[in-house]
Amino acid sequence: MAQNGIAENGSHDQTHTQSQRYLSTRGDDAGLSFEEVVLKGLATDGGLYIPEQVPRASAWESWKDLSYSELAFEIFSLYISPSEIPSADLKDIINRSYSTFRSNDVTPLIHLQENQYLLELFHGPTFAFKDVALQFLGNLFEYFLVRKNKGKTGRDRHHLTVVGATSGDTGSAAIYGLRGKQDVSVFIMYPKGRVSPIQELQMTTVPDKNVHNLAITGTFDDCQDILKSILGDADANKSLNLGAVNSINWARILAQIVYYFHSYFSLVKSQADFKLGDRLRFVVPSGNFGDILAGYFAMRMGLPVEKLVIATNENDILDRFWKSGKYEKKKAEGVAAAGGFAVDGSLAQADGVKETLSPAMDILVSSNFERLLWFLAYEFAETAKMDDVWNKKQAGQEVTKWLKELKTTGAFGPVYQDVLKYAKRDFESERVDDTETIDTIQTLYRKVGYILDPHTAVGVAATLRSVERTGPEIHHISLSTAHPAKFSGAVDMALRGEEGFDFEKKVLPAEFVGLEKKEMRVTDVDNDWQKVRDLVKAQVEQELSEA
Ligand SMILES: *Cc1c(COP(=O)(O)O)cnc(C)c1O
């Protein structure tokens, strides 16, 4: 038992006072500090970083009355050693990160109907849930850089180049988290013509000199591939200190754990029939699997979660995995099964991504799923009753094998029965198509007058199906990932002509009015990772010479 009554998970009698270390899901990179994993993003072996031990929060019930920031401090302290970031500094970073939110509660819980609730995650600067993590990550980057650069001038200063790929929301949230920060340049790639008009305006109208938008002729997955190529490129790594803001960055997952606890406590405090210790369900509209993965960590830390329900749109690789145990990129229609893949394993046809009304979830492969795979493989290894070092090694090897297969053949699996069994113990999944998304926005508006954005509607549709299985007694919290004004097309399609509906008056926040009159800053670039890399290098060189 360590200080604050917090014990570590697993067979080791490690204590919280010992520093938390991180390892890669592919097993070749271990023993890293929090600062190292935050600044690096992707592991050297191509894997993603996870904590060596998931801390068990045995004192979690005593956190019930804490404010959002106080709660964040308790949770982050289990993952970041005070020897790395002293408590007073961590508190300051947290306070600054959440003071930019428009709600005192940061992430308020709203009653929808019966035992169904909405966790509104969109009260940050860009009106999407990604602000919760990216406001924090921006301040973390700044903190580490200020510390590294103390007393240094000119070319001696450590400069961070952040490259990100976005289907819309990550980009604007990253830009708002990093704009104007010293010693940081940020480059955001988005698929040209495939983000909503508001999202594009939010990104491109930010005037700060350190912000660069790149409109790529391709899809979001192309942008993600370019990012991976650049992060893994020797030349780019030699000339730049690259940082990642995509949800592969561990700090994003960490930040998101907080609202699972916070909303649980909000429910306890507002509902007499829901008591500390009662189990509930969270339903999460999912794409890259980052948001729901934070829920999985909360569960492993000890929060009484009965199930995490994954809600996907028609890009349903996750849903298909839970049904079949096979993780498989979908072949684009009309592309023959054999020969459909190019030599490097990527789809020959532009992609198999379907454009839906919930574009932030239009992905072919969920990058954070790799982190869950590691934990499933680890649990499976544990059944062999060897030591923990062996278990971790096995997990790393298994994940490496799966991911290699995915890269070369476009699929892996079916995985072992037991691995799928662990996945099903903690998760359920639902796939929701565009028609049901529109219907759900309409139904909820008519029934309770609430306007859902299309991503949140995917989650609410999944909630309704989940309730059919559990019965109405089980409490459900659906994560609301965006403000409806960000996806006006879908909302308008669903609610045009409804009594009392007026987009400008009822939905549009004042912050969005007049954005289209501002100057847009964006460069068009071909779908070619080397061109992107060279552009980034040249631009950073120019910024450094002007500094
Ligand atoms: C990013 C995003 C999602 C998906 O979250 P993941 O962490 O990628 O699963 C869902 N809804 C909205 C509005 C988003 O911006």
Side-chain angles (χ1 to χ4, degrees):
M1 198 53 62
Q3 61 177 35
N4 307 329
I6 289 146
E8 297 274 350
N9 201 4
S11 49
H12 292 273
D13 192 20
Q14 268 194 356
T15 62
H16 173 47
T17 44
Q18 263 177 280
S19 58
Q20 176 72 268
R21 294 270 136 184
Y22 290 83
L23 55 81
S24 160
T25 48
R26 308 224 181 144
D28 283 345
D29 200 1
L32 283 94
S33 69
F34 178 72
E35 177 170 353
E36 285 170 313
V37 307
V38 170
L39 291 177
K40 273 179 75 138
L42 194 68
T44 322
D45 58 12
L48 307 185
Y49 290 118
I50 47 172
E52 286 187 354
Q53 311 286 339
V54 179
R56 220 163 154 89
S58 51
W60 72 272
E61 291 176 321
S62 67
W63 297 342
K64 184 177 91 147
D65 295 312
L66 298 182
S67 69
Y68 190 94
S69 292
E70 289 165 341
L71 181 60
F73 176 75
E74 292 300 327
I75 292 171
F76 296 172
S77 298
L78 300 178
Y79 291 91
I80 310 167
S81 310
S83 58
E84 268 202 72
I85 304 183
S87 296
D89 293 356
L90 183 59
K91 280 184 183 158
D92 178 57
I93 294 170
I94 294 169
N95 287 337
R96 282 189 289 118
S97 301
Y98 298 109
S99 66
T100 54
F101 280 63
R102 293 177 303 278
S103 163
N104 280 339
D105 239 5
V106 181
T107 58
L109 188 72
I110 308 290
H111 181 236
L112 193 59
Q113 57 181 357
E114 293 154 20
N115 280 334
Q116 299 157 34
Y117 296 79
L118 277 181
L119 173 53
E120 289 185 346
L121 301 175
F122 55 72
H123 296 280
T126 74
F127 293 78
F129 96 92
K130 292 180 174 75
D131 286 324
V132 178
L134 283 161
Q135 285 290 303
F136 174 60
L137 184 59
N139 286 321
L140 266 184
F141 279 152
E142 182 180 46
Y143 177 80
F144 290 140
L145 287 172
V146 165
R147 190 158 72 181
K148 275 182 192 292
N149 288 333
K150 218 170 165 181
K152 292 191 182 151
T153 52
R155 288 279 169 157
D156 284 345
R157 292 181 76 82
H158 188 93
H159 185 93
L160 189 69
T161 301
V162 166
V163 188
T166 188
S167 55
D169 280 352
T170 302
S172 44
I175 287 169
Y176 276 77
L178 292 169
R179 60 186 293 187
K181 296 250 190 271
Q182 210 189 347
D183 300 313
V184 182
S185 307
V186 49
F187 294 83
I188 297 298
M189 296 179 275
Y190 66 87
K192 190 176 164 65
R194 294 192 188 215
V195 299
S196 85
I198 277 288
Q199 289 177 318
E200 186 167 39
L201 285 168
Q202 280 184 312
M203 290 189 278
T204 57
T205 57
V206 170
D208 300 72
K209 285 259 181 342
N210 70 330
V211 171
H212 309 276
N213 288 287
L214 310 177
I216 306 288
T217 328
T219 64
F220 170 55
D221 285 287
D222 292 329
C223 296
Q224 205 154 239
D225 285 345
I226 294 174
L227 174 65
K228 281 205 163 171
S229 300
I230 293 177
L231 292 181
D233 178 53
D235 177 357
N237 279 289
K238 211 176 85 200
S239 41
L240 303 164
N241 282 306
L242 290 165
V245 286
N246 280 70
S247 57
I248 54 170
N249 195 307
W250 164 251
R252 286 193 50 186
I253 309 296
L254 175 59
Q256 291 163 188
I257 296 172
V258 179
Y259 50 69
Y260 285 89
F261 280 92
H262 190 263
S263 59
Y264 183 96
F265 295 134
S266 299
L267 192 57
V268 170
K269 286 185 275 190
S270 66
Q271 295 307 308
D273 68 338
F274 189 81
K275 305 217 160 45
L276 269 182
D278 286 353
R279 302 210 303 164
L280 52 53
R281 286 190 168 208
F282 284 103
V283 185
V284 189
S286 295
N288 255 329
F289 206 72
D291 200 358
I292 198 163
L293 185 77
Y296 179 73
F297 274 92
M299 192 175 182
R300 287 189 71 104
M301 288 170 73
L303 189 69
V305 178
E306 196 255 328
K307 277 283 193 248
L308 295 162
V309 182
I310 302 158
T312 75
N313 63 24
E314 290 156 72
N315 296 292
D316 57 355
I317 186 165
L318 292 166
D319 184 60
R320 286 181 285 118
F321 173 82
W322 259 268
K323 306 232 144 69
S324 67
K326 203 165 177 203
Y327 195 69
E328 187 179 27
K329 290 189 195 181
K330 230 187 199 156
K331 292 155 195 84
E333 252 152 65
V335 178
F341 292 97
V343 229
D344 67 349
S346 61
L347 282 162
Q349 188 60 48
D351 54 89
V353 183
K354 178 151 197 262
E355 281 184 52
T356 72
L357 295 173
S358 41
M361 290 146 62
D362 288 351
I363 50 98
L364 205 54
V365 178
S366 305
S367 45
N368 267 294
F369 184 57
E370 178 166 346
R371 286 189 163 113
L372 176 68
L373 282 173
W374 188 92
F375 283 98
L376 299 175
Y378 176 68
E379 226 181 310
F380 183 62
E382 279 180 324
T383 57
K385 303 252 182 279
M386 306 285 279
D387 66 11
D388 197 51
V389 174
W390 187 86
N391 296 342
K392 286 185 170 135
K393 192 161 163 244
Q394 282 302 110
Q397 283 176 355
E398 209 57 65
V399 170
T400 306
K401 195 189 81 190
W402 285 327
L403 270 293
K404 209 165 148 189
E405 220 175 301
L406 179 68
K407 198 169 161 74
T408 50
T409 70
F412 68 80
V415 295
Y416 307 118
Q417 277 301 316
D418 278 356
V419 169
L420 190 57
K421 189 181 79 190
Y422 300 136
K424 286 184 172 173
R425 179 195 58 207
D426 296 339
F427 295 87
E428 282 182 8
S429 90
E430 293 292 348
R431 169 192 194 271
V432 176
D433 65 18
D434 275 352
T435 314
E436 197 176 350
T437 304
I438 291 291
D439 282 352
T440 308
I441 298 176
Q442 240 169 31
T443 308
L444 268 296
Y445 180 73
R446 288 177 188 162
K447 241 174 131 178
V448 298
Y450 190 95
I451 299 174
L452 300 166
D453 104 280
H455 304 79
T456 309
V458 167
V460 169
T463 297
L464 297 175
R465 289 196 214 152
S466 169
V467 170
E468 275 175 30
R469 288 191 296 275
T470 62
E473 306 78 35
I474 284 265
H475 289 74
H476 281 70
I477 294 181
S478 293
L479 275 56
S480 174
T481 49
H483 189 286
K486 290 198 85 166
F487 301 94
S488 55
V491 172
D492 193 57
M493 193 187 298
L495 300 182
R496 195 182 318 140
E498 291 288 322
E499 209 184 304
F501 174 71
D502 181 335
F503 186 82
E504 313 258 296
K505 285 211 185 87
K506 288 260 167 82
V507 187
L508 198 66
E511 287 87 342
F512 290 178
V513 177
L515 268 187
E516 73 286 352
K517 296 199 186 82
K518 292 192 178 169
E519 189 202 343
M520 283 174 68
R521 295 170 58 240
V522 57
T523 310
D524 288 348
V525 193
D526 293 340
N527 178 13
D528 175 339
W529 75 268
Q530 282 161 324
K531 278 195 185 155
V532 176
R533 176 196 61 192
D534 295 344
L535 187 150
V536 170
K537 276 172 63 179
Q539 189 66 50
V540 170
E541 189 49 43
Q542 192 186 329
E543 271 176 61
L544 287 176
S545 64
E546 283 168 4

